[in-house]
Amino acid sequence: MNSKKCLVLGAAGFLGLHLCEGLAEANYAVRAFSRRSRQNVQGSEQIEWFIGDFNHPDDLDAALDGCEIVFHLISSTTPASSNRDPVFDLQSNVGNTLQLLEKAKSHAVKKIIFVSSGGTVYGVPQQVPLTESMPTFPICSYGISKLAIEKYLHLYSSLQGLEYCVLRVANLFGERQCLTKGQGAVGVFLDKALRGEPVEIWGDGEVVRDYVYVRDVVDALIGAIAYSQEPRIFNIGSGIGRSLNQVLSSLEIVMDRPIKRIYREGRPVDVPINVLDISLAKQHLQWTPQTEWMTALEQT
């Protein structure tokens, strides 16, 4: 058993579920914090489920007790929903994270690993691929909150010596992805196609994104545990841009059937292109995505 005990905030979510399994497989003791438990988790003998609310200070105190490494995966909004109520987005995400940072010192937390958003923090890019040093001008409140949390992590590192690492993750996909949030094009498209329903596309389908398989992201998160140098912010993606139309064409090959498509008016929250430069992660975390695109789609 690895000596460090890990707390996963948001453990019942898509990424959280895979992360708990990955940590257990790597022989870490894991405390999984969420509002509900999940039954379909591998390695459950090494995973302690803690049911609580991130908004409640007492729940957070109990969850942090005895944990050295904290993975912060919780977000109460999505890019599309955040602009409808920016005040709620700010209070529920940034405000609650500040509460976490305040408590980290008293609980002797050694490090926080935060999942930021490589798909939204940069806004509309002037060029691609996007490096971590490029300007950040999000066009959704979700991205602004992610950036604010990044800055507060730096502040608490400066003031209190709290170790941290930020992973700006691209568009996640993989098996067991939640489809009710309307987030995750690959999962939503595949679900519709399997049901024989038409896929709705916002715009002409030429919006380009960087898609990264969930198990590869788990490898990056686990690799960040031992990393304690500068830089502390990393893009985590495939480094390859694919349009929505290309994603659908790939799914048609995997499924061996055509997929019906309905094109709707584009949304202002969607940037036209987002592709991440992952050179820093390769250099400092020794991480590269290992799962080939079509293989990942088949597994999904």
Side-chain angles (χ1 to χ4, degrees):
M1 183 73 69
N2 281 304
S3 59
K4 295 184 175 75
K5 187 168 187 177
C6 299
L7 172 64
V8 179
L9 300 173
F14 170 46
L15 178 56
L17 185 68
H18 284 275
L19 176 58
C20 287
E21 292 178 346
L23 287 166
E25 185 178 343
N27 219 23
Y28 285 94
V30 184
R31 179 173 292 156
F33 179 90
S34 68
R35 291 184 177 180
R36 67 189 190 284
S37 64
R38 289 288 291 266
Q39 304 303 318
N40 57 337
V41 184
Q42 300 173 18
S44 56
E45 65 279 358
Q46 288 172 232
I47 301 173
E48 171 198 3
W49 279 97
F50 190 101
I51 308 304
D53 192 330
F54 190 50
N55 300 323
H56 294 167
D58 291 344
D59 288 352
L60 198 53
D61 274 319
L64 287 167
D65 188 42
C67 294
E68 290 185 57
I69 308 296
V70 176
F71 291 91
H72 182 6
L73 280 57
I74 290 178
S75 178
S76 62
T77 59
T78 66
S81 71
S82 64
N83 283 356
R84 291 197 291 268
D85 193 345
V87 174
F88 171 76
D89 180 65
L90 174 69
Q91 292 173 340
S92 61
N93 291 311
V94 181
N96 287 338
T97 299
L98 280 171
Q99 178 176 253
L100 166 66
L101 298 180
E102 283 291 314
K103 292 179 177 298
K105 184 177 182 180
S106 61
H107 285 279
V109 170
K110 297 292 191 297
K111 185 171 190 174
I112 293 180
I113 300 171
F114 174 59
V115 175
S116 187
S117 172
T120 63
V121 298
Y122 297 105
V124 179
Q126 296 181 353
Q127 65 183 63
V128 292
L130 289 152
T131 67
E132 292 84 349
S133 61
M134 285 184 174
T136 50
F137 292 103
I139 59 173
C140 63
S141 181
Y142 178 92
I144 294 172
S145 290
K146 292 289 189 184
L147 276 177
I149 292 171
E150 291 183 15
K151 300 299 184 184
Y152 276 116
L153 282 166
H154 177 74
L155 175 65
Y156 276 76
S157 177
S158 299
L159 296 179
Q160 299 182 2
L162 178 65
E163 281 285 328
Y164 75 95
C165 189
V166 173
L167 302 190
R168 291 177 174 172
V169 177
N171 290 56
L172 268 175
F173 74 97
E175 54 268 37
R176 292 178 291 176
Q177 188 165 16
C178 177
L179 303 174
T180 58
K181 294 182 178 180
Q183 200 174 7
V186 171
V188 172
F189 289 177
L190 187 55
D191 180 59
K192 290 280 190 181
L194 288 169
R195 296 173 186 273
E197 299 174 1
V199 169
E200 291 189 340
I201 300 175
W202 305 100
D204 60 5
E206 290 305 306
V207 165
V208 172
R209 293 290 180 269
D210 186 331
Y211 296 92
V212 61
Y213 184 52
V214 64
R215 294 186 191 178
D216 289 329
V217 176
V218 167
D219 289 342
L221 285 164
I222 294 175
I225 294 174
Y227 179 82
S228 58
Q229 305 170 27
E230 295 288 345
R232 301 184 186 277
I233 298 175
F234 298 98
N235 288 333
I236 301 296
S238 68
I240 299 171
R242 292 180 171 90
S243 71
L244 295 176
N245 289 326
Q246 288 174 320
V247 171
L248 284 166
S249 295
S250 295
L251 289 174
E252 287 177 329
I253 294 172
V254 170
M255 296 177 62
D256 194 25
R257 72 174 81 159
I259 298 174
K260 301 173 185 176
R261 312 179 189 191
I262 298 176
Y263 292 88
R264 306 291 191 191
E265 185 178 353
R267 302 180 300 183
V269 73
D270 294 324
V271 300
I273 185 170
N274 179 275
V275 184
L276 302 182
D277 185 317
I278 57 175
S279 300
L280 280 184
K282 290 179 181 179
Q283 178 183 351
H284 296 278
L285 298 180
Q286 285 76 56
W287 174 88
T288 54
Q290 298 297 306
T291 313
E292 192 272 331
W293 168 245
M294 294 301 290
T295 301
L297 291 182
E298 289 166 2
Q299 292 176 178
T300 301

